[in-house]
Amino acid sequence: MATLNIVQAVKRALDEEMARDERVVVLGEDVGKRGGVFLATEGLYQKYGPDRVIDTPLAEAAIIGAAVGMATHGLRPVAEIQFADYVFPGFDQLVSQAAKLRYRSGGQFSAPMVVRMPSGGGVKGGHHHSQSPEAYFTHTAGLKVVVPSTPTDTLGLLKTAIRDDDPVVFMEPKRLYRAIKEEVPDEEFTIPLGQARIRREGTDLTLIAYGGPTVEALKAADELTKAGVSAEVLDLRSLVPWDKETVLNSVAKTGRALVIAEAPRTASFASEVAATVMEELLDQLMSPVYRVTGFDTPYPYVPDREYMPTVTRILNFAKKALDY
Amino acid sequence: MIKDTWRFEPFNEEPIRLIDEEGNWIGEFDLDLSDQELQELYRHLVRGRLLDERYQIILRQGKTSFVAPSAGHEGAQVGLAKAVRPGFDWIFPYYRDKTLLATLGYPVELLYAQMMATRLDPNKGRQMPEHPGLRELNVFTVASPIASHAPPAVGAAISAKIQGTGQVVLTTFGDGATSEGDWHAALNFAGAQGAPIVFAAENNRYAISVNFEKQSGSPRIADKAHAYGFPGYQVDGMDVLASLYVAREAVERARQGLGPSLVEFLVYRYGPHSSADDDRVYRSREEVEFWRKKDPILRFERFLEKRGLWTPEAGEKLREEVKAELLAAEEKAEAAGPVPPEWMFDDLYSTPYWLLEEQRGILLAEL
């Protein structure tokens, strides 16, 4: 068993998939000799050469748009957007081309591609290096959206995303890139999309999280244990498709839920999960489902950590749910 | 056949023209097309024009909801279609390319099926009219957002280059597209990669109502290729032979690994931007008549007539033949019947998704 952090897991997934399938290519800004600004593609250029690890011009529309064309022509491109905050010049390519290609062509064409992007805050980057723009993508039919929070999940989910026949937006919580290390099996494995992971079992309250704040959800669960409250922690891992069944089973058991995410609350994916739980489980709920999210402001440079759902914020809402 | 000499100089001051308005060959090289090939070009020009006219009729009959008139573009489109290898090369067209696609071999009944959203449409009626696409012919399904198909076209060309397939990508667009960021991003990337692609601007001088002088400070779209490091040519796009020969040269350059070209075809659309537009508010009838006199079909008829390949009677006979062909195709497309509503949930993802099955249930309960 090797010990990997998340960025190493990304690199291993890319390397394994490039070795397995020569159609897999990587493209983006600085992904070549530099190995990416976060070093997620380190060594791949040297190993696979400039035709498979393509340094692109600094233009996200070209990166994502070219990936669409490569994908429909037969390659399996993995595009890197340097920061999720920079995806917007390529947004039209994701929304108008990648997401709709299979549908608008009646299934004749498809775009089997992955767009990787480091997302989320906690790195003192201000609003243009800290956002969590997943709701734009989950709102767009035709895209799959994956947000892992551990090295093992990153490795298994990214490999699945690369093999998937649909466009997948793969959002990597950059503040966890090197913050979490764990032992990862040496043998090859994949993890299916659309399955939440029960990170911790509990009976009194379900903390539904994904991406970066999964860490805070687990810490909050520890604190709640000390107070005699048994919290179950779910990591959604995949937002499109999302695992409604696991979520409903858990909340049916606990009767209370918080949905925890870094993105601003209004029209967020957390709102979608909360609404679904309340629509389907109203008579089994003992309190409203609260959304514990980032604030509806741009992500400020200062305060940096306090923008995101802190352990304190999660505990405050947990108290509200338990006292309801 | 590796060529090291080329017929046309890029960044030409005057549009490249091989037939003058009286129908005389003015090329500085010998025409190397057979009489049969010339007559085939003529047939495609006429077929494209009649198809465009027929679309106006099905619009009035309520069988379709939208038409993007293409009359005036036929010279460029037939030339482009005849410059590529159908079903081998990849085509990323825009919404005014019916003559290009019909000439390429896109079955006309399938074009009609897309126009009328019947079951025969391989795109399953998902898009508004004038947005066809056909996998077996490598015709990428048209998207409305202007120039959004340019970066994917470049991606396909890079893929062809990486895989060494020998394929060339052709992408077409109007003059307005050349202002979009995606267009510049695409040409820039293609230049950096030396991708085998031909960018074909069908410059009809208007992006809906905005004329080219307001679109760009450049006198020519072709000049923009300078900035991306590859040749740009301006062609009289109402001269089918100039269009064909320049397009062929651009395709051949790409096929030989010499990278992209930008070819600007000067054309004019006689009709409004679309069936939802009224062009009388932004341009005079005199202007339209001026351009109609340069019509690609009339000019090619004069050319053929001088060679003993055309008479008014032969032209009329051909028109009647083509009309019958188009009508049969229209009837076949229509007979397939409308796309059923429950198809709405198919082809979104490659894998089933509970969310869509739930929503399919909501829809079925309403039907």
Side-chain angles (χ1 to χ4, degrees):
Chain A
M1 299 264 272
T3 300
L4 296 183
N5 62 29
I6 287 180
V7 80
Q8 289 165 332
V10 170
K11 190 163 60 180
R12 180 169 143 191
L14 293 172
D15 190 9
E16 285 182 3
E17 291 306 296
M18 292 183 83
R20 182 187 64 82
D21 183 351
E22 65 176 15
R23 298 172 304 166
V24 178
V25 299
V26 167
L27 70 160
E29 297 155 14
D30 305 300
V31 299
K33 287 183 183 167
R34 177 71 178 82
V37 296
F38 289 100
L39 302 180
T41 61
E42 188 184 29
L44 298 178
Y45 178 91
Q46 290 76 5
K47 188 167 176 183
Y48 297 103
D51 277 353
R52 294 187 64 198
V53 183
I54 303 164
D55 272 325
T56 65
L58 204 163
E60 290 76 12
I63 296 168
I64 296 174
V68 172
M70 290 174 170
T72 205
H73 189 265
L75 296 179
R76 292 266 162 170
V78 183
E80 176 175 300
I81 299 299
Q82 206 154 71
F83 285 82
D85 312 80
Y86 300 151
V87 72
F88 302 109
F91 191 62
D92 189 37
Q93 288 298 322
L94 269 172
V95 171
S96 300
Q97 291 290 347
K100 294 177 177 64
L101 183 55
R102 180 192 298 281
Y103 191 73
R104 78 170 197 261
S105 68
Q108 296 183 90
F109 294 96
S110 60
M113 57 189 272
V114 178
V115 182
R116 293 181 40 245
M117 56 185 85
S119 77
V123 295
K124 296 194 166 57
H127 45 262
H128 289 149
H129 293 81
S130 305
Q131 295 169 94
S132 297
E134 60 269 22
Y136 299 118
F137 308 121
T138 60
H139 194 68
T140 301
L143 299 176
K144 290 178 175 171
V145 181
V146 177
V147 192
S149 72
T150 70
T152 305
D153 286 349
T154 299
L155 176 54
L157 290 166
L158 182 52
K159 285 169 68 76
T160 304
I162 293 169
R163 297 178 192 190
D164 198 277
D165 287 333
D166 298 312
V168 181
V169 175
F170 198 87
M171 306 179 80
E172 299 159 6
K174 66 174 103 57
R175 72 182 157 103
L176 303 185
Y177 262 159
R178 291 178 173 77
I180 299 176
K181 284 183 183 164
E182 66 183 6
E183 291 203 331
V184 176
D186 291 328
E187 61 273 19
E188 190 174 8
F189 66 94
T190 59
I191 297 170
L193 307 187
Q195 291 185 8
R197 178 174 166 193
I198 301 171
R199 295 291 299 274
R200 179 188 177 122
E201 293 199 14
T203 54
D204 300 331
L205 169 71
T206 304
L207 305 180
I208 305 161
Y210 63 87
T214 309
V215 171
E216 282 71 33
L218 288 164
K219 285 181 186 162
D222 286 341
E223 294 300 316
L224 287 166
T225 305
K226 290 176 196 163
V229 175
S230 164
E232 181 144 303
V233 180
L234 303 185
D235 180 354
L236 288 177
R237 303 196 292 191
S238 166
L239 307 187
V240 181
W242 72 281
D243 186 355
K244 183 173 78 165
E245 191 183 352
T246 298
V247 169
L248 293 185
N249 286 344
S250 174
V251 184
K253 177 176 72 176
T254 61
R256 297 180 182 88
L258 308 182
V259 190
I260 302 159
E262 244 179 79
R265 191 180 70 192
T266 302
S268 62
F269 195 75
S271 298
E272 180 59 31
V273 174
T276 303
V277 172
M278 289 193 276
E279 274 184 7
E280 304 223 6
L281 291 180
L282 184 63
D283 54 0
Q284 293 166 72
L285 286 172
M286 289 180 279
S287 85
V289 177
Y290 293 109
R291 293 162 292 170
V292 187
T293 64
F295 296 114
D296 284 302
T297 66
Y299 197 114
Y301 176 64
V302 177
D304 185 55
R305 291 271 165 177
E306 290 77 1
Y307 175 88
M308 300 182 288
T310 55
V311 174
T312 305
R313 195 178 310 154
I314 296 169
L315 291 174
N316 288 345
F317 275 95
K319 184 168 189 319
K320 209 170 158 181
L322 292 162
D323 293 349
Y324 187 83
Chain B
M1 179 184 70
I2 298 291
K3 287 184 64 165
D4 53 9
T5 56
W6 302 96
R7 280 181 174 139
F8 305 107
E9 280 292 317
F11 307 114
N12 44 308
E13 289 289 323
E14 289 296 317
I16 297 166
R17 190 171 287 139
L18 297 178
I19 309 174
D20 69 16
E21 290 185 25
E22 285 71 48
N24 297 301
W25 171 262
I26 53 170
E28 291 172 0
F29 55 92
D30 291 336
L31 181 68
D32 54 5
L33 296 169
S34 68
D35 290 352
Q36 196 186 339
E37 286 171 312
L38 292 170
Q39 280 171 322
E40 198 194 336
L41 292 177
Y42 177 62
R43 183 185 177 89
H44 285 301
L45 291 171
V46 170
R47 195 157 166 256
R49 176 68 54 84
L50 292 175
L51 185 61
D52 193 56
E53 290 175 3
R54 193 64 208 172
Y55 277 13
Q56 303 292 337
I57 293 168
I58 63 170
L59 177 73
R60 285 198 293 274
Q61 291 172 335
K63 294 178 185 175
T64 191
S65 60
F66 177 86
V67 173
S70 54
H73 285 235
E74 295 91 346
Q77 293 189 10
V78 170
L80 282 163
K82 286 294 174 189
V84 296
R85 288 172 58 186
F88 178 70
D89 293 330
W90 278 62
I91 315 298
F92 288 69
Y94 82 130
Y95 50 76
R96 205 182 300 284
D97 275 337
K98 62 176 80 68
T99 304
L100 167 63
L101 299 182
T103 305
L104 202 63
Y106 197 124
V108 183
E109 64 266 26
L110 299 189
L111 288 173
Y112 272 116
Q114 201 282 322
M115 289 299 291
M116 299 189 282
T118 73
R119 285 172 176 266
L120 200 61
D121 174 22
N123 303 282
K124 299 187 186 169
R126 298 265 166 64
Q127 292 213 102
M128 68 183 292
E130 300 277 23
H131 289 60
L134 191 60
R135 180 65 185 84
E136 63 194 49
L137 207 53
N138 294 340
V139 174
F140 188 76
T141 298
V142 172
S144 308
I146 302 300
S148 72
H149 60 306
V154 172
I158 294 170
S159 174
K161 180 183 158 219
I162 290 172
Q163 299 186 69
T165 64
Q167 291 162 310
V168 171
V169 172
L170 166 66
T171 182
T172 59
F173 41 83
D175 37 306
T178 65
S179 298
E180 287 282 5
D182 281 15
W183 188 84
H184 292 274
L187 272 77
N188 184 56
F189 196 10
Q193 284 283 326
I197 184 166
V198 176
F199 296 99
E202 297 182 34
N203 181 359
N204 65 23
R205 329 302 169 93
Y206 288 92
I208 304 187
S209 68
V210 177
N211 65 28
F212 190 70
E213 287 66 39
K214 289 177 182 164
Q215 199 66 244
S216 175
S218 298
R220 283 177 291 269
I221 290 172
D223 290 351
K224 295 171 193 277
H226 264 303
Y228 305 114
F230 51 78
Y233 307 87
Q234 192 187 55
V235 186
D236 180 346
M238 297 171 94
D239 172 348
V240 65
L241 293 182
S243 298
L244 173 62
Y245 277 99
V246 178
R248 271 191 180 167
E249 188 151 304
V251 168
E252 198 174 327
R253 289 180 63 93
R255 190 125 33 228
Q256 290 186 18
L258 295 175
S261 303
L262 170 61
V263 187
E264 174 185 8
F265 297 88
L266 293 174
V267 295
Y268 195 83
R269 72 166 146 78
Y270 305 152
H273 159 71
S274 76
S275 47
D277 178 34
D278 178 2
D279 66 317
R280 289 170 302 184
V281 302
Y282 55 81
R283 61 184 187 183
S284 70
R285 295 306 87 188
E286 291 72 27
E287 181 186 312
V288 177
E289 278 313 305
F290 172 82
W291 285 99
R292 274 185 179 277
K293 292 199 179 77
K294 300 176 182 294
D295 187 72
I297 300 177
L298 292 179
R299 202 194 304 186
F300 201 52
E301 284 173 351
R302 290 183 204 118
F303 169 85
L304 292 175
E305 192 172 29
K306 286 178 196 294
R307 294 177 172 250
L309 297 174
W310 184 85
T311 62
E313 297 72 32
E316 191 49 41
K317 185 164 170 283
L318 175 68
R319 289 175 66 90
E320 292 310 316
E321 278 172 28
V322 171
K323 277 183 188 172
E325 179 214 343
L326 298 183
L327 198 60
E330 181 188 322
E331 285 167 359
K332 191 174 169 190
E334 201 176 1
V339 164
E342 59 270 26
W343 282 12
M344 191 194 302
F345 297 95
D346 299 339
D347 307 307
L348 183 59
Y349 294 108
S350 59
T351 47
Y353 188 17
W354 59 263
L355 181 72
L356 296 175
E357 293 315 311
E358 271 185 16
Q359 295 180 6
R360 193 195 301 267
I362 294 170
L363 175 75
L364 290 176
E366 296 167 7
L367 297 178

